[in-house]
Amino acid sequence: MAPVELKYTLVDDISSIHDSLKAEFLKGKSRSIEFRKQQLSQFAYMMKDNLPLFKEALKQDLGKPEFEALLSEMSLCIDETVQAYNKVDKWAKPEKAPFNLNFTLLNPRVLKEPKGVVLIIGAYNYPAFVTFSPMAGAIAAGNAVVLKPSETSSAMAALVTDLFPKYLDPSMYRIVNGAIPETTKLLELKWDHIMYTGNGKVGRIVAAAAAKHLTPVSLELGGKNPVFIDPSYDLKLAAKRLSWGRFSNAGQTCTAPDYILIPTEAQDKLVAAFTEVYNAFYPDGPLKSESYARIGSDAQFARIKALLDDTKGDVVLGGETDAEQKYIAPTVVRDVSPEDSLMSQEIFGPILAIVPVKDMDEAIAFVNARDHPLAAYAFTSDAKLKKKLIDNTQSGAIAFNETLLHAAIEGLPFGGIGESGTGHHSGKWGFNTFTHFRSTFDAPKFAEIALNNRYPPYSEKKSKLMEKLMLPRMPPRVGASPSLAARIKAWLPALLCVLLAAGIGTRLTQHTATLAFVQRLLSSGK
């Protein structure tokens, strides 16, 4: 299907869009929680009212099945926006600082304030989720927003451009469409936060542009996500869950499993399991299936096909391609070496590479020798192995016996580490990303009684008093035994419970001298 013609924003208009949003933000309307909730409600209804149109746009851009459009995009976005609506009152409420006797009179608090005017740059593969999810957080946090959709997903970008002003306040939320010239102009401007989803090459350009203005940046960049497979695990179930995670959206998912590490002796059984699952998923073949997507652009098709053409591994499933349809079959390649073309970069397509290893120690070393991935997966029932993988690897997320789902689980941050990105979005994590946590306190006049000793002229008496007031009780030195006071303090609650349980509590007044002795020990710190 031919891409929808997308009208780009005039480059000369981009500065004025930014300036008008800044001026409107400074009027303070978005500090109102009621205003934020109105916009969140409108945003949710924009998606819900036009769900058939969004499904159709995703079909046009990616050949995405309606089921996937709902499951992995629109339902998540609507749910996240409604949750932000329901919880923004709580999220935005100022928090009291932890109690501290020295400063409690000052009523120290943390205010949750919007950062200002923020820029969200989306990607083509999940054009709703990677823009609407952070958008919900930015609205909830009270920011003005410029949303830059991917020009590759032209049908979705055109639809959003049409719907935004019908549902959202156009003085606070705007769309900028375009390619490199328009994005370059956007990055020349000073924003209060930038969130970019895409690849590391462009991520570095975004970060460098933001650094000129000291603008904070969140980058969601993806990477080669490894899968550790314990041969004792149910390999058919593993193959089923991996096939879903890899072949959904034709593999164009930043958190999708990229390659599998499995002991050599179990590779044949895993391939047999993949074959069984493959035939069950696509009984008439994936080319004819209504449950399989297409590649998002000709350039991406050519890149993925080149990786497949150059592999020295053994293609055991799939491998067929059709340039006209931008179709690449779900593909499994076994006996892939570390130097293979499929290991040279993130595949970001429907190809799953199997890299045989000696054991899990070799698998861990293999992963640690490469950039930190956005996600790591492991299929095992062994609790010790799970802990070993958590303790000895680094990734944006690590999930056991499933794939992809962490992006949909409420309360979990969505983001990477190192080469796979920085920062988070989704739910309250998105709210936090676009929020400035502003410290405040208010010193009453009568607090001068407690604060008066800080003023010159200084004296030895004042210094000693400040030492007692300001210095904390120190922990035991390394190698030293805890003090008697610390041991008594640790056991005292249990001792009192025993005394009370024995019915002695009513006679504690007879032991005033003992309690006074304990109190002196604790206050002395000895």
Side-chain angles (χ1 to χ4, degrees), residues 145-338:
V145 183
V146 166
L147 186 63
K148 165 61 179 71
S150 171
E151 68 278 12
T152 301
S153 296
S154 56
M156 176 63 80
L159 177 59
V160 171
T161 302
D162 178 59
L163 293 177
F164 253 52
K166 297 178 180 178
Y167 284 84
L168 297 174
D169 185 339
S171 71
M172 290 292 291
Y173 313 106
R174 297 288 296 274
I175 300 289
V176 169
N177 285 308
I180 293 176
E182 293 77 15
T183 305
T184 300
K185 182 61 180 180
L186 284 168
L187 292 176
E188 290 174 359
L189 304 174
K190 181 177 175 60
W191 304 91
D192 297 299
H193 195 102
I194 298 174
M195 174 166 281
Y196 165 77
T197 300
N199 62 61
K201 180 181 178 180
V202 177
R204 285 175 168 82
I205 295 172
V206 172
K212 294 178 181 179
H213 300 290
L214 297 180
T215 297
V217 180
S218 299
L219 303 173
E220 197 277 277
L221 304 177
K224 290 188 75 64
N225 305 313
V227 181
F228 301 89
I229 295 190
D230 177 353
S232 66
Y233 190 77
D234 182 339
L235 294 185
K236 181 178 178 182
L237 180 60
K240 188 176 183 180
R241 292 177 175 178
L242 284 167
S243 295
W244 175 77
R246 187 42 162 173
F247 302 141
S248 292
N249 201 36
Q252 300 163 106
T253 305
C254 56
T255 54
D258 189 284
Y259 64 97
I260 295 170
L261 298 163
I262 188 169
T264 304
E265 65 272 13
Q267 188 177 203
D268 289 343
K269 291 182 179 178
L270 181 62
V271 169
F274 271 121
T275 303
E276 187 176 346
V277 170
Y278 189 94
N279 293 330
F281 278 16
Y282 314 109
D284 297 320
L287 181 61
K288 297 180 180 179
S289 175
E290 293 295 321
S291 301
Y292 187 65
R294 298 295 185 265
I295 305 302
S297 71
D298 292 328
Q300 287 297 321
F301 172 87
R303 181 191 63 81
I304 299 165
K305 185 176 185 299
L307 294 177
L308 184 59
D309 290 343
D310 292 342
T311 184
K312 300 298 189 293
D314 183 12
V315 178
V316 291
L317 284 172
E320 301 83 13
T321 65
D322 183 331
E324 185 176 347
Q325 293 191 48
K326 296 193 287 287
Y327 165 83
I328 297 177
T331 301
V332 175
V333 185
R334 63 172 292 165
D335 292 315
V336 174
S337 72

Side-chain angles (χ1 to χ4, degrees), residues 12-82:
D12 292 341
D13 290 345
I14 292 175
S15 290
S16 60
I17 291 172
H18 171 274
D19 293 345
S20 66
L21 290 178
K22 187 69 174 180
E24 195 67 22
F25 172 78
L26 291 175
K27 293 178 182 178
K29 71 162 68 174
S30 64
R31 288 183 173 271
S32 162
I33 301 301
E34 186 58 35
F35 173 81
R36 301 182 201 182
K37 294 185 74 169
Q38 289 173 358
Q39 298 304 305
L40 287 166
S41 175
Q42 287 289 96
F43 191 39
Y45 276 108
M46 181 194 82
M47 293 181 272
K48 181 66 166 59
D49 292 347
N50 299 282
L51 194 54
L53 296 179
F54 280 109
K55 289 179 179 179
E56 178 58 31
L58 290 167
K59 183 75 172 177
Q60 286 183 268
D61 287 333
L62 291 153
K64 187 170 290 194
E66 281 196 17
F67 185 84
E68 287 185 15
L70 178 65
L71 179 70
S72 61
E73 294 234 48
M74 301 313 302
S75 66
L76 298 181
C77 297
I78 295 171
D79 181 66
E80 189 164 329
T81 303
V82 171

